Amino acid sequence: MTYQVDENGYYGNYGGAYIPEILYKTVEDLKRQYLDIIESNEFKQEYHQLLRDYVGRPSPLYYARRMSEKYGCKLYLKREDLNHTGAHKINNAIGQILLAKKMGKTRIIAETGAGQHGVATATVCALMNMPCRVYMGALDVERQHVNVERMKMLGAEVFPVQSGNKTLKDATNEAIRDWCCHPADTFYIIGSTVGPHPYPDMVARLQSVISEEIKWQVQEKEGRDYPDYLIACVGGGSNAAGTIYHYIDDDRAKIVLAEAGGLGIETPMTAASMQIGTIGILHGSRIKLMQTEDGQIIEPYSISAGLDYPGTGPIHCNLFETGRAQVLAINDDEALQAAFELTRMEGIIPALESSHALALLPKLKDQFTPDTVVVLTVSGRGDKDLDTYLSHKP
Ligand SMILES: *Cc1c(COP(=O)(O)O)cnc(C)c1O
């Protein structure tokens, strides 16, 4: 019994590769080559050197003393917020662009919602001198103006998508359309553990550097190489997948994940797709998603732009369904409160996404004892969320 992917690209009932015929060869090529490439010494050396010298890894595992006292446990924060470009997404973008180069691709496309994955992709394209086109819903282009300017400054072409609700789902459709037109020379960099197989597994592996580091860092600090709890937030699932990767089949480490409750899962203003979603196909993968009875996607809502995806990747759908992970919805107000608390108690302003993970602590407090070792991933920093924080000051 394993929670890792099977040979057909499934995690239990979830996953697979539901793609148009014209992409079959491209996805098949990737499936055939990705493991050999990312396991090769040449790739590993280049990847780890960039993670060290460019991204700034290893990211620290920080013992949060005041928060530990408050929640009655030993709380360690995995500081992905200290990475270059401010979040975990760069780990994956670097890995995929190296893979694209090794496969002989000459052009990069990506889709982005809030713009964080677009910025990470534009960054590695500048680094590797590759042309880059980022698809973004026209509404998101307006809402995330600063990230749009960042991408342009980095040399990417930002393509505003006017169809549908003009948000992430529409940008994704447009990126897939582009990919269908240029399957031979174009590499599609997907930003989370979503999309057709092998993307979820590939992204999880490229983010697994997080749990690889946690292993030796907890060993160094606690004398054993596993924590009692691993905690992370889930949008598509990549920072969570990276946090749990080396522990996924080790029951000693409990997994608790936060999805975005928005204004509450009993309201239509939510993004808690694991708890209220139903099975369907999105972005080439069988997952739980928010849809109407006739299969129309329901627009998700969360105060955090990085978590308002209408589905969740197949890895986490399976962890939730099998009970390997406990998944709780965190509402906007709870996330905001957690953000202000971390800022005042530890001097760290977290991203709104990460604040959802922090807001799990009061809910889990009763399960902790002073010896309980908790590792919580702070997926990103809060600079990008300052306007939101300012308009919700307690
Ligand atoms: C994009 C983003 C997320 C959500 O994406 P996952 O793939 O679920 O990790 C979480 N935190 C931050 C800071 C992000 O930028």
Side-chain angles (χ1 to χ4, degrees):
M1 172 73 180
T2 176
Y3 295 96
Q4 297 287 13
V5 70
D6 71 19
E7 66 273 24
N8 298 314
Y10 282 87
Y11 302 83
N13 291 320
Y14 301 98
Y18 298 82
I19 48 168
E21 192 62 33
I22 192 160
L23 288 177
Y24 184 81
K25 184 181 178 304
T26 308
V27 174
E28 204 53 35
D29 282 347
L30 181 63
K31 201 167 104 187
R32 233 174 348 92
Q33 295 184 50
Y34 83 107
L35 281 179
D36 285 345
I37 295 177
I38 65 184
E39 303 273 296
S40 71
N41 283 334
E42 192 185 300
F43 177 93
K44 278 191 190 160
Q45 200 185 345
E46 231 178 315
Y47 175 62
H48 286 288
Q49 182 167 4
L50 284 169
L51 288 184
R52 190 186 64 212
D53 299 339
Y54 187 70
V55 175
R57 303 204 72 93
S59 66
L61 187 71
Y62 165 69
Y63 176 66
R65 189 182 53 82
R66 293 185 62 203
M67 293 278 282
S68 293
E69 273 165 24
K70 171 153 187 181
Y71 290 106
C73 65
K74 291 179 168 175
L75 175 66
Y76 290 94
L77 303 177
K78 183 59 173 159
R79 300 289 309 277
E80 295 301 302
D81 58 311
L82 294 176
N83 292 342
H84 178 46
T85 69
H88 65 292
K89 287 199 173 71
I90 192 82
N91 304 327
N92 169 55
I94 288 199
Q96 285 196 48
I97 201 151
L98 290 175
L99 193 63
K101 279 181 50 173
K102 300 254 181 284
M103 292 180 70
K105 306 286 179 180
T106 54
R107 175 175 178 266
I108 299 295
I109 57 169
E111 90 292 327
T112 196
Q116 295 303 111
H117 172 56
V119 170
T121 304
T123 299
V124 298
C125 285
L127 180 69
M128 297 294 172
N129 192 24
M130 288 267 251
C132 174
R133 175 182 265 203
V134 179
Y135 289 94
M136 191 167 183
L139 185 62
D140 290 335
V141 169
E142 265 173 52
R143 290 192 294 200
Q144 309 289 339
H145 188 67
V146 177
N147 276 341
V148 172
E149 293 310 321
R150 254 186 215 135
M151 287 183 261
K152 288 184 178 166
M153 185 165 172
L154 287 158
E157 178 196 357
V158 179
F159 191 99
V161 176
Q162 302 290 350
S163 56
N165 289 317
K166 307 180 188 187
T167 60
L168 180 60
K169 160 181 66 72
D170 314 294
T172 302
N173 289 341
E174 207 54 43
I176 292 175
R177 219 163 279 147
D178 179 316
W179 203 22
C180 288
C181 293
H182 311 90
D185 68 344
T186 296
F187 193 97
Y188 181 14
I189 297 191
I190 294 182
S192 189
T193 42
V194 297
H197 177 65
Y199 277 96
D201 183 53
M202 184 168 78
V203 175
R205 283 169 187 270
L206 294 172
Q207 292 290 359
S208 72
V209 62
I210 299 173
S211 65
E212 195 181 309
E213 290 171 5
I214 291 172
K215 277 210 139 175
W216 62 259
Q217 288 172 321
V218 191
Q219 175 73 44
E220 220 172 71
K221 291 179 164 36
E222 290 294 330
R224 57 169 151 113
D225 71 354
Y226 66 96
D228 300 303
Y229 284 83
L230 287 162
I231 299 179
C233 66
V234 179
S238 70
N239 87 86
T243 301
I244 66 180
Y245 192 87
H246 289 89
Y247 298 107
I248 201 164
D249 292 321
D250 181 349
D251 283 339
R252 293 174 303 179
K254 296 187 183 70
I255 299 170
V256 191
L257 306 172
E259 63 176 348
L263 298 186
I265 59 171
E266 67 292 348
T267 76
M269 302 291 277
T270 184
S273 54
M274 277 189 273
Q275 291 179 68
I276 68 150
T278 52
I279 292 181
I281 309 286
L282 182 68
H283 213 152
S285 180
R286 189 165 195 267
I287 58 174
K288 282 187 98 170
L289 51 97
M290 294 170 42
Q291 58 185 335
T292 62
E293 273 173 24
D294 40 353
Q296 296 297 314
I297 297 297
I298 298 171
E299 196 70 16
Y301 164 80
S302 160
I303 193 170
S304 148
L307 299 185
D308 71 354
Y309 186 69
T312 305
I315 301 172
H316 306 294
C317 289
N318 184 49
L319 295 176
F320 174 58
E321 190 170 289
T322 56
R324 173 67 182 100
Q326 189 183 354
V327 179
L328 299 173
I330 296 296
N331 295 346
D332 291 357
D333 55 343
E334 298 171 307
L336 285 165
Q337 196 181 336
F340 284 104
E341 179 176 274
L342 186 74
T343 302
R344 287 299 176 90
M345 290 187 70
E346 300 288 348
I348 298 168
I349 303 179
L352 259 168
E353 292 84 1
S354 321
S355 305
H356 285 70
L358 289 158
L360 287 171
L361 293 171
K363 298 185 191 284
L364 298 173
K365 188 172 190 274
D366 291 345
Q367 302 178 27
F368 297 157
T369 71
D371 292 329
T372 306
V373 176
V374 178
V375 170
L376 185 153
T377 294
V378 180
S379 54
R381 67 177 84 123
D383 308 25
K384 66 183 180 60
D385 299 313
L386 222 60
D387 287 343
T388 309
Y389 289 147
L390 284 176
S391 56
H392 292 88
K393 261 193 290 202

